[in-house]
Amino acid sequence: TKLVPDLKGIDPDDAFSSVPYVKGSTFLWVLEKTVGGAEQFEPFLRSYYNKFKYQSINTQQFKDYFLEYFASCETVKEIDWDAWLHTAGMPPVKPDFDKSLAVACHDLAARWQAWDPVAVTECPFTGDEIKEFLPGQTQEFLNTLLSGTPLSLVAVEKMEELYKFAASSNKEIVFRWIRIGLAARRESSIPEAVKMVTEVGRMKYVRPIYRDLYAWQEKRQVALDTYAANKNKMMAVSREMVAKDLHITA
């Protein structure tokens, strides 16, 4: 979970994770706040992009340029670069973001998770619950469901009837919806899953769906057959990573 991991002897693909995105964005937020806010930080970003455009650089170069640009800013001396860049674990600072949009997603997810279609046969939802949601909120709603106990098949079928996630043009939403369906052992999610892994090559979509199919023991062969039929069309890295997920040789 270090922002600057030691990759000696390690395949960079094996080290790929969400850490640079989540922890990295938090660090950028801290840097912005340290120098006085967006009015000071955004001109630095424009200067940074212009100086290093068309180049590949490393973290030290970023740090050096940041300190050079803000040499007259006393507060940059407070930045604990080692803690942020070379120390594992959670970020040293947790931003106090406005959580109101996320709370609405979490509350709706909790209501769906609490609904027992056997005990309460009348569905308490209308379909209007997500009409005002931004796409990111819909994704967070689905993320919350994915991180909890799988919904019942009845609940998943009712959710599709009301929200029509499978017909969404947003791949991020469809991807999450497929996974929720697979977790509920929804048969109609299988062709949706196969379609996505054969049409969309990004590992962030392909690997989780293949893993979910493999975890459904009765449908494991679908994952194996789909991979065998499409592996020669996949990017080499994706092909090798999925093979590991399926416990086979690429």
Side-chain angles (χ1 to χ4, degrees), residues 73-87:
C73 181
E74 286 295 314
T75 53
V76 300
K77 296 177 181 178
E78 302 171 5
I79 301 169
D80 189 342
W81 293 92
D82 185 65
W84 277 102
L85 301 177
H86 304 291
T87 303

Side-chain angles (χ1 to χ4, degrees), residues 47-146:
S47 175
Y48 165 76
Y49 295 146
N50 186 60
K51 180 176 178 63
F52 294 108
K53 60 186 177 183
Y54 313 124
Q55 301 178 53
S56 294
I57 69 169
N58 58 35
T59 304
Q60 187 62 47
Q61 288 172 284
F62 169 83
K63 176 184 174 182
D64 290 344
Y65 188 65
F66 176 88
L67 293 175
E68 176 187 332
Y69 186 93
F70 290 109
S72 62
C73 181
E74 286 295 314
T75 53
V76 300
K77 296 177 181 178
E78 302 171 5
I79 301 169
D80 189 342
W81 293 92
D82 185 65
W84 277 102
L85 301 177
H86 304 291
T87 303
M90 294 296 290
V93 177
K94 182 180 179 181
D96 185 20
F97 294 132
D98 180 351
K99 302 180 180 67
S100 57
L101 293 178
V103 168
C105 311
H106 301 161
D107 287 348
L108 180 59
R111 289 174 57 199
W112 274 96
Q113 290 166 330
W115 177 44
D116 181 355
V118 176
V120 183
T121 56
E122 184 176 350
C123 178
F125 305 100
T126 66
D128 293 334
E129 294 83 11
I130 66 169
K131 283 190 174 180
E132 300 301 320
F133 273 15
L134 299 169
Q137 286 182 283
T138 301
Q139 292 172 41
E140 181 61 20
F141 165 63
L142 296 174
N143 283 340
T144 306
L145 294 177
L146 271 172

